[in-house]
Each structure stands twice: as C-alpha cells, then as structure tokens.
C-alpha cells in the first residue's frame, strides 16, 4: 500500500514493544484523524476497543478507492475502515475531512448513518502501521442508490418509508442541501443509512457560486428519485395491509429448534387470530404447514422471519418454497421481518401528512 519513492519513517513502539514503520503520507493521515470530530457529543458506545493488532482483523467485506472495510474477529458489531495512503492525490485528506463532517452533519439533522466512533491504527505482520476509523457495522445490509441501485421490495418495511420521508423532509427544510453521491445501506429491519457522501466542500461552508447549478442538479435528481422510492414503499406496504386473503408466517426449522418458546408463541397467536397460517421450511427447501385456519383460505401475503443466524430469501428461493402449495395466491407478495418484532406481523401503513416537524415525528413514532 505504499510507493517506493515515499519517505519511510521507523520508530520504536513502546506500547507494543517492537519496531514499526510507516510512510510519510500515512503519518499525515494520522495527524488529520487526531483532529477530526468522530461521533456526536454525549454519544457513547459499548465495547469499543482502545487498540487493535493484525490478529484482531477479520476479512475485508468492501473495498473502495480510498479505504477498505474489515470485520473484527472479537467485535462483530464494528468495522475497521483502513484508510489508503494515496500519496499522489492532493485532495484525499480534504475529502476525508469533508466525509466525516458530513456524516456528523447528517446525524445532527436526524438522518441515519453508520456511526463513526474513533480513530485507531494497527500494525501488520510486517511491522507497518496503518491508520483507520472504527465504525458501526450494519449487519446483512446491501447498498442502494436512488436512480441507480433500487430497493429490494422484499426488504422494504415501514421503517424504510419513515427514513425516506425523513430525507425528503430535510431536503424540504434545507433548500441548499445537496448530496452529490447519495448512497445508502439497507439494514436488516429495512432502515436506511446514508454512507460515503462525496460532497467536495465542507458542511460548514457555503459552496462556491460556480458550483450552484451542479449541486442543484444532484439535489433535484435526489428528491425525484426519493419520491419514487416513497411511492414504491407505500405500494409494497399497502399490499400487506389488504384483507382479501390470509397472511402467512414462514419460519426456518433451525430457528424453531433453537427457540421452542418462539414456536409456541407463533402457534398461540395464529390460533387466536384465526386468519394466520404458520409454515416452517428446512435446509432442503421443504415446507410444512404448522398451523392453518379451519376454513378455506388463500394466502396472499407471506412474512419470512429472520434473526442473526438466518439468511434472507430471494424471490427465486421463495418461488421454490411455495411451488407445491396450491393455497398460495399467484399474486402473493412477501417480505422479511425480524424475529424480535414478530408480534407486529400486521404491517402499518405510514403516510406522512405534510412535511412539518410534527408530521415527521408522528410517522417516526408509528415506526418505532
């Protein structure tokens, strides 16, 4: 990760009791990190390590032009963003400053982002020091980008809609707000997290006048595409709010075997509700009805229960699981739900009335 013509700096690390080395550009990055504000005032996090070694670093899960995201073996809820040195890019350090400033700005505005906790360095096996940032890991997430990378309908929840409306509210309240590269992670429960903003200017200064038309173009396109996402989310949630057919819960055999009480709770709910089907599936793709109403019924909605040990089901996998069940409607829709939220198996449609602060808070309260 370094070029031969870079200055190499050797030193004795008294804490680690070994000789280490770093490049001049890496040392410059370290100076910048020392002065960055990471996280909001008063924000605390549990189990944040004070130091890391190369033995703590797990596998890389994402690599960009300026950083690589690594898992941590003993801290599953964190990632280490190892920063590239990029000695030939004069604007790299400024870009890093702006990214952290915008992340903090978004969080102050109520827009979700992965949390940036603290700056750390690691020493690799060759003795080279690498600098980076500890950030929150959004588990089982995938990236979306309005106008480019679409939402997966089976991962949309009422929380997705609330987050879209929060973004639209912030655009409406801040007429000069523009996000040049609006990309987000979708979490397990459908929440949206803005990541890697590519705005070229600091969030604390007015952009140059000559950038106005350029930034307004991104703003207009972002708002347009977010509105499309809002309409898609509303339509998906409405499909789960209809009462024409029967709602089914699909849960893996492994989950039920791990938690017999959960199975008992599901069956008890279905017996009381009498319009709910409970089905299990195993690793071989075989499904079994665990409870069904005594009357004739047609399943038009399926909610797949997931927890930390389960993978999400694709549309192709779902078709395979239900292909031999004649009671599943041909226009069935499905989505995923977290096990811990199973009591809310009926979806709530949250349509925000207006862009006032009261309207936003009311929608957020429903989602929570």
């Amino acid at each position: 990760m370094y070029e031969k013509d870079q200055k190499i700096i050797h030193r004795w690390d008294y804490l680690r009791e070994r000789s280490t080395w770093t490049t001049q550009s890496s040392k410059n990055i370290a100076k910048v990190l020392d002065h960055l504000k990471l996280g909001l005032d008063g924000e605390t996090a549990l189990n944040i390590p004070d130091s890391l070694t190369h033995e703590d670093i797990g596998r890389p899960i994402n690599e960009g032009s300026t950083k690589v995201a690594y898992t941590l073996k003993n801290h599953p809820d964190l990632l280490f963003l190892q920063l590239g040195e990029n000695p030939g890019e004069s604007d790299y350090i400024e870009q890093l400053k702006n990214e952290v400033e915008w992340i903090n700005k978004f969080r102050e505005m109520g827009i979700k982002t992965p949390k940036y906790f603290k700056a750390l360095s690691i020493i690799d096996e060759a003795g080279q020091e690498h600098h980076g940032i500890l950030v929150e890991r959004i588990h089982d997430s995938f990236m979306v980008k309005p106008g480019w990378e679409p939402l997966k309908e089976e991962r949309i929840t009422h929380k997705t809609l609330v987050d879209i409306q929060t973004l639209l509210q912030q655009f409406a309240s801040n007429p000069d707000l523009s996000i040049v590269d609006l990309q987000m992670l979708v979490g397990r429960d459908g929440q949206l997290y803005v990541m890697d903003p590519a705005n070229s200017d600091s969030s604390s200064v007015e952009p140059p006048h000559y950038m106005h038309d350029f930034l307004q173009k991104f703003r207009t396109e972002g708002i347009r595409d977010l509105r499309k996402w809002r309409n898609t989310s509303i339509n998906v949630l409405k499909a789960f709010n209809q009462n024409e057919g029967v709602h089914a819960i699909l849960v893996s055999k492994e989950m039920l075997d791990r938690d017999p009480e959960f199975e008992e709770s599901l069956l008890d709910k279905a017996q009381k509700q009498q319009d709910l089907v409970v089905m299990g599936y195993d690793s071989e793709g075989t499904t079994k009805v665990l409870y069904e109403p005594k009357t004739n019924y047609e399943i038009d909605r399926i909610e797949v229960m997931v927890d930390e040990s389960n993978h999400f089901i694709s549309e192709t996998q779902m078709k395979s699981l239900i292909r031999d069940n004649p009671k599943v409607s041909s226009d069935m829709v499905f989505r995923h739900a977290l096990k811990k939220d199973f009591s809310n198996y009926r979806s709530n449609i949250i349509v925000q009335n207006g862009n006032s602060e009261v309207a936003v808070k009311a929608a957020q309260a429903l989602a929570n």
Side-chain angles (χ1 to χ4, degrees), residues 182-218:
L182 180 55
Q183 52 184 332
M184 291 169 268
L185 292 175
V186 181
R188 291 182 63 85
D189 58 358
Q191 294 189 70
L192 300 177
Y193 300 82
V194 175
M195 58 174 289
D196 289 344
N199 291 23
S200 59
D201 295 293
S202 167
S203 63
S204 59
V205 300
E206 281 279 332
H209 180 70
Y210 65 83
M211 292 287 291
H212 180 268
D213 291 344
F214 173 77
L215 294 175
Q216 283 297 312
K217 174 178 178 290
F218 278 100

Side-chain angles (χ1 to χ4, degrees), residues 25-287:
S25 59
S26 182
K27 186 177 181 181
N28 293 339
I29 290 172
K31 291 179 180 178
V32 173
L33 290 175
D34 285 342
H35 294 89
L36 289 181
K37 177 187 177 185
L38 298 176
L40 300 178
D41 293 338
E43 187 178 79
T44 59
L46 299 177
N47 201 24
I48 302 297
D50 293 322
S51 62
L52 294 172
T53 71
H54 68 272
E55 295 177 344
D56 298 315
I57 302 299
R59 62 185 178 87
I61 60 171
N62 190 32
E63 182 172 356
S65 59
T66 60
K67 50 187 173 288
V68 181
Y70 290 94
T71 60
L72 298 182
K73 295 177 181 177
N74 298 317
H75 300 276
D77 297 325
L78 298 176
L79 292 175
F80 179 66
L81 295 186
Q82 181 173 307
L83 302 174
E85 296 172 15
N86 296 297
E89 296 184 19
S90 59
D91 62 344
Y92 172 55
I93 289 180
E94 195 65 28
Q95 178 185 339
L96 175 61
K97 290 180 182 177
N98 290 340
E99 178 180 326
V100 174
E101 284 188 16
W102 277 104
I103 287 292
N104 289 335
K105 178 68 174 179
F106 291 150
R107 294 186 65 78
E108 290 170 357
M109 297 169 71
I111 296 173
K112 297 188 184 80
T113 75
K115 298 175 184 175
Y116 281 37
F117 292 119
K118 66 189 301 184
L120 282 179
S121 67
I122 64 166
I123 306 297
D124 67 18
E125 293 180 274
Q128 182 180 0
E129 184 175 24
H130 301 280
H131 296 275
I133 302 173
L134 281 182
V135 302
E136 177 186 12
R137 181 180 182 183
I138 310 301
H139 289 278
D140 296 308
S141 60
F142 64 97
M143 193 185 80
V144 292
K145 187 175 179 179
W148 295 88
E149 297 290 341
L151 290 170
K152 298 177 182 179
E153 293 190 3
E154 66 270 18
R155 296 284 294 269
I156 291 174
T157 70
H158 52 281
K159 293 181 180 179
T160 312
L161 179 57
V162 168
D163 288 342
I164 293 170
Q165 292 179 153
T166 297
L167 281 163
L168 288 171
Q169 160 66 14
Q170 290 303 326
F171 275 116
S173 302
N174 299 274
D176 293 325
L177 175 63
S178 178
I179 305 174
V180 174
D181 188 16
L182 180 55
Q183 52 184 332
M184 291 169 268
L185 292 175
V186 181
R188 291 182 63 85
D189 58 358
Q191 294 189 70
L192 300 177
Y193 300 82
V194 175
M195 58 174 289
D196 289 344
N199 291 23
S200 59
D201 295 293
S202 167
S203 63
S204 59
V205 300
E206 281 279 332
H209 180 70
Y210 65 83
M211 292 287 291
H212 180 268
D213 291 344
F214 173 77
L215 294 175
Q216 283 297 312
K217 174 178 178 290
F218 278 100
R219 172 185 166 84
T220 301
E221 291 175 350
I223 292 173
R224 178 199 64 200
D225 293 330
L226 283 172
R227 286 173 175 164
K228 290 181 180 178
W229 275 13
R230 179 179 61 186
N231 293 339
T232 297
S233 299
I234 289 173
N235 290 335
V236 168
L237 295 176
K238 278 183 177 178
F240 267 83
N241 201 46
Q242 62 184 335
N243 295 314
E244 297 175 359
V246 167
H247 189 123
I249 289 180
L250 182 63
V251 58
S252 71
K253 181 178 182 300
E254 290 78 10
M255 183 187 293
L256 298 178
D257 289 344
R258 286 194 305 270
D259 191 351
E261 291 185 3
F262 177 61
E263 179 178 6
E264 185 178 338
S265 298
L266 278 178
L267 296 177
D268 181 64
K269 177 179 289 293
Q271 290 168 4
K272 291 178 179 178
Q273 191 69 35
Q274 282 300 313
D275 62 353
L276 180 66
V277 176
V278 180
M279 299 186 297
Y281 69 96
D282 60 25
S283 58
E284 297 180 354
T286 303
T287 59

Side-chain angles (χ1 to χ4, degrees), residues 311-322:
H311 297 292
F312 289 86
I313 292 177
S314 68
E315 186 174 351
T316 300
Q317 290 171 315
M318 174 58 75
K319 288 180 179 179
S320 177
L321 287 170
I322 65 172

Side-chain angles (χ1 to χ4, degrees), residues 1-10 20-30 83-87 127-131:
M1 294 182 80
Y2 67 96
E3 294 185 352
K4 293 181 179 179
D5 58 353
Q6 278 205 80
K7 180 180 178 181
I8 305 298
I9 303 169
H10 293 269
T20 65
W21 62 276
T22 189
T23 62
Q24 182 63 55
S25 59
S26 182
K27 186 177 181 181
N28 293 339
I29 290 172
L83 302 174
E85 296 172 15
N86 296 297
Q128 182 180 0
E129 184 175 24
H130 301 280
H131 296 275

